[in-house]
Each structure stands twice: as C-alpha cells, then as structure tokens.
Amino acid sequence: MGFKAFGYNVISLIWDSIVRSKHYNVAYLVAPEITPDEISNLSKRLNFYCPELKLEIKNINSAILSCAPILYFCDKNKLPTWIKCIRGSIYYIDYRSNPVDGWEWISLANLCSSCKPNIEDSKIKFTNYINDLRAQHLSKCYIFGTGSSLEKAIGYNFSDGYRVVCNTIVKDKKLWNHLNPNFIVAGDAIYHFGHTMYARTFRKDLYDRMQETPTTYFIYPQQFHTIVYRQFKPFEDRLIPVPVGNYKYYHNDLVNNFYLPALGNVLQLLLLPLACTLSKNVYMWGFDGRAPQDKLFWKNSEKHSYSNYLPELQKEHPKFYEYYVPKDEPTKYINNNFGDEMDELLHQAEINGFSFTMMHKSWTPTLMKRFRFDQTASINKK
C-alpha cells in the first residue's frame, strides 16, 4: 500500500468514527446545475427517507468541511478523487446518471436512523421458526414468482410443501390466503422500499396481508430495516432482516450461515437460498421469464403487480431502467441474472443433492430445462 493510499485509509477511519455517533439535522445538496423542479423533487425524497433532515444547497468546497451528509446531484465521475477518498457520507442521488440512486437513499436513511437491526435476535427468530417448520416433515418447498402464470396457482393445493412468496403477490388477497405462505421476501430499493406510489402501495398491501396470516414471516436484506421497521413495527416478532455475505451459491443452510448470497434478483438473493434451507426439493411457479414481445424486465401478472404506477417509477428512476433494460439490449438483465451463472449455480446445488423443478413453461432457458410436464397433475386440484 502506498503512502497516499495509507493516508486516505487513516482519514477514512477517522471520518467513520466521527459520523457513527453524530446526530444530523441537515443534508447539504451539492448540485452544480439544478432546476427548481428538481430541488422540489429531491426535497420530497429526502422527506421520505430522512424526514428529520432539512435540505440546504452548498458548493462542494464548503460542504466537505462539515460533518453533514452530502447529496451529490451530478455525475459521480465529476467529483474529484481526493474528495471521494477522504470525505465519507457522500450520497450519489442523481437519478439522471446513477442507476442505483435508490440504494443511495437507503444508505442515507441508515446513516440518519437510530433504528439498527439486531441480527443476533433476527437469527434466533429465524432459527426457531425454521425448526418449527421442519417439525412438519414436508418433503418439498414451493417458491412463487409474479409472472403471468401465478394467476393459475389459485386452482391448486400447495399444502404438501413449504410456501415462500415474493414481492407484489401481496396485491392478491385471495391467492395470499389460499397459499397461506410461510415466508414473504422482498429486496429491491425502488420497487419495495422507496418513496413512489408503487413501493408505498406494496408496503400497504403487505401490511394488510401480514395481519391476515399470523404465521407469515417477512425476510429482507438488513439494509432495508430502517424503512421496514417504521411501518411494520407491530409485526416485529416476524421481521427477519438478514445480512448479505460474500459467497455465491444457493445451497446454503441459513440456520448455520445466516447470510444471504451476494447475488442479484429476488430469486437468487432470497427465494432459492430460503427454499434450500427448507427442503432439498424445490418447486418453482410464476417464473415465466421474458417473452419476445415483453417490455422492460418481463411481463408480470396484472393481478399481482401495480402496472398503473410503473410510469411514475420510470420517471423517478430513469437511469435505473436505461442501464438495466436499455432499448438496444432489452435482455441485458435477463442474460446477466438468469443465464449461464444461474445455470451453473443450480447445477452446483444439484450435484449436492438438491433438485429444482419448473412447474410450467418458461421463456428462461435455465428454468425451462428444469421444466417437468406433469407437475400440475402431481399436486392436488383445489
């Protein structure tokens, strides 16, 4: 390590020790070029993520001399490297240039909140519930996506296995109560834990569904706990924040290694690891994939998504969509998250005794090769 890098590390450690015990009441907005409408928009976002903070506009030279968090509304590559190295608490919230601006806001919320997840307590709750479920001696685990085929699940009985659902299935009260899920998982900063009507509606519906099924636990990456706890404190005994580790495989028993894999997408990050914790026989429903005519990532079931709120989501996070589903390469996200890497990770689990069965046809080749034609006949009709 060079002397300059060593110096930057020392300064960074000192900065971290300062901000850990700091209480904030202001955030400095550094924006070389910004319109009144953009300022208003950022103020609304700040009011959601950190309602106790006031927004003040500063130039970068004065902002870096304070301990207050800096909201940098410009391409991060334009910020001098030395500032990035020595000044912590800079958040790149420019939705025009940063595809993960939603995650930056989550980081800011965590900095300013006194609500920190107790991971040891979370692990104990999780382990106790898993032990209760394992005592049922069910031979399989069903996991459910929100593709178009999810609508057909209402016609079948899945009570012979554990049931893990995700995301906006919460919109469908009838299907939710029919499945009576053991777990609900979610893990996206803008779709589930953000400031838009899409995310707010998801959380409202989730709250209602959690009231209806008192044995459903909510599992999510720990970074979202600040947002979750605000609204879901009445269900504190069923909230399971889990840290993300540095491994990349699905067949991890979360009871023994209480970390999620460092993988993207709810299927890889949450559904498959949780299913592999519950059973060696994993059955998948609602993962239709991206048909050639689909827009954005893929087509969701209309009964299980908030398509009327998608335009706002796209407007609020334009770079997110431009980066992950570019017009000249619309299958980029699918290829990166459901292609060769997923196939290899499923194969690794399979040679360790796990089986994965796709219960209906899918446009995703990795899942389609695990399709078994007679699976709907092998479970009981409703």
Side-chain angles (χ1 to χ4, degrees):
M1 178 185 296
F3 180 76
K4 181 185 291 187
F6 175 77
Y8 284 156
N9 285 342
V10 170
I11 294 173
S12 180
L13 288 172
I14 294 173
W15 179 266
D16 288 343
S17 68
I18 292 173
V19 300
R20 267 199 296 268
S21 58
K22 185 75 176 175
H23 176 74
Y24 303 97
N25 54 26
V26 64
Y28 291 144
L29 173 62
V30 174
E33 296 181 3
I34 192 169
T35 67
D37 285 345
E38 289 168 339
I39 294 174
S40 176
N41 183 297
L42 294 176
S43 295
K44 291 178 182 178
R45 298 184 195 219
L46 182 64
N47 187 57
F48 168 75
Y49 291 100
C50 302
E52 70 282 3
L53 295 189
K54 296 185 300 181
L55 187 66
E56 293 185 12
I57 299 177
K58 294 276 187 179
N59 63 54
I60 188 63
N61 293 328
S62 60
I64 62 174
L65 297 177
S66 75
C67 291
I70 294 174
L71 308 184
Y72 192 67
F73 191 69
C74 189
D75 188 333
K76 66 184 298 184
N77 294 320
K78 294 183 178 181
L79 188 66
T81 301
W82 69 269
I83 294 179
K84 297 177 187 177
C85 291
I86 69 170
R87 177 55 156 91
S89 304
I90 300 178
Y91 300 91
Y92 304 98
I93 46 79
D94 188 351
Y95 48 82
R96 305 165 306 177
S97 62
N98 184 6
V100 292
D101 69 290
W103 282 260
E104 291 289 294
W105 284 107
I106 293 294
S107 295
L108 175 66
N110 290 336
L111 174 76
C112 300
S113 174
S114 60
C115 176
K116 309 299 181 185
N118 185 328
I119 298 303
E120 187 58 35
D121 180 61
S122 182
K123 181 179 180 181
I124 291 171
K125 286 188 291 185
F126 176 76
T127 300
N128 289 341
Y129 188 47
I130 289 292
N131 288 338
D132 289 343
L133 291 174
R134 285 174 173 172
Q136 298 177 22
H137 301 294
L138 300 178
S139 63
K140 63 186 70 171
C141 179
Y142 297 105
I143 57 176
F144 298 86
T146 55
S148 299
S149 295
L150 183 60
E151 297 182 20
K152 300 176 183 178
I154 193 69
Y156 296 89
N157 183 349
F158 299 92
S159 61
D160 63 335
Y162 306 109
R163 300 160 309 281
V164 184
V165 301
C166 72
N167 302 349
T168 50
I169 191 176
V170 296
K171 181 182 178 183
D172 189 342
K173 176 177 180 176
K174 184 177 180 181
L175 179 59
W176 174 278
N177 285 280
H178 170 64
L179 295 176
N180 188 19
N182 304 116
F183 292 100
I184 167 78
V185 301
D188 190 279
I190 67 173
Y191 280 85
H192 309 128
F193 307 108
H195 66 286
T196 65
M197 279 303 299
Y198 193 107
R200 291 175 189 269
T201 305
F202 161 75
R203 293 193 298 272
K204 176 188 177 299
D205 285 347
L206 175 58
Y207 190 99
D208 292 342
R209 302 292 85 80
M210 293 279 286
Q211 285 185 310
E212 295 162 6
T213 54
T215 58
T216 301
Y217 281 58
F218 181 25
I219 294 187
Y220 50 91
Q222 74 166 50
Q223 69 189 106
F224 301 118
H225 185 69
T226 295
I227 303 300
V228 171
Y229 194 71
R230 290 180 193 171
Q231 190 166 347
F232 294 87
K233 186 177 180 180
F235 310 112
E236 184 173 9
D237 60 330
R238 292 188 279 146
L239 301 180
I240 310 291
V242 186
V244 176
N246 55 15
Y247 70 93
K248 290 189 176 184
Y249 52 88
Y250 307 139
H251 54 292
N252 169 50
D253 187 336
L254 291 170
V255 170
N256 297 326
N257 182 32
F258 195 61
Y259 291 91
L260 299 171
L263 295 166
N265 185 268
V266 69
L267 178 58
Q268 298 195 84
L269 175 68
L270 289 155
L271 287 170
L272 286 170
L274 184 52
C276 288
T277 297
L278 287 164
S279 177
K280 285 205 166 186
N281 302 303
V282 179
Y283 289 75
M284 298 175 282
W285 190 300
F287 302 96
D288 295 69
R290 191 183 195 279
Q293 70 275 13
D294 286 351
K295 306 299 182 183
L296 299 179
F297 293 96
W298 48 71
K299 182 180 179 181
N300 290 106
S301 162
E302 282 297 318
K303 292 184 67 175
H304 307 101
S305 63
Y306 309 110
S307 57
N308 52 319
Y309 294 134
L310 269 177
E312 181 204 11
L313 204 56
Q314 292 175 263
K315 181 181 178 181
E316 293 292 281
H317 302 282
K319 192 63 178 181
F320 174 84
Y321 291 95
E322 180 185 327
Y323 179 81
Y324 288 107
V325 280
K327 292 181 179 179
D328 60 346
E329 192 184 357
T331 60
K332 174 183 175 180
Y333 184 84
I334 292 290
N335 295 338
N336 289 343
N337 288 275
F338 298 91
D340 293 342
E341 181 184 54
M342 172 180 270
D343 192 35
E344 175 59 27
L345 293 178
L346 288 172
H347 177 66
Q348 288 179 18
E350 286 163 346
I351 62 178
N352 279 277
F354 290 83
S355 69
F356 302 92
T357 301
M358 188 68 212
M359 300 184 70
H360 56 74
K361 291 184 178 181
S362 173
W363 286 99
T364 304
T366 298
L367 300 181
M368 188 59 193
K369 69 190 293 185
R370 292 167 173 85
F371 168 63
R372 304 293 181 267
F373 179 75
D374 62 348
Q375 286 311 303
T376 54
S378 69
I379 56 177
N380 297 322
K381 276 281 190 177
K382 183 179 172 183

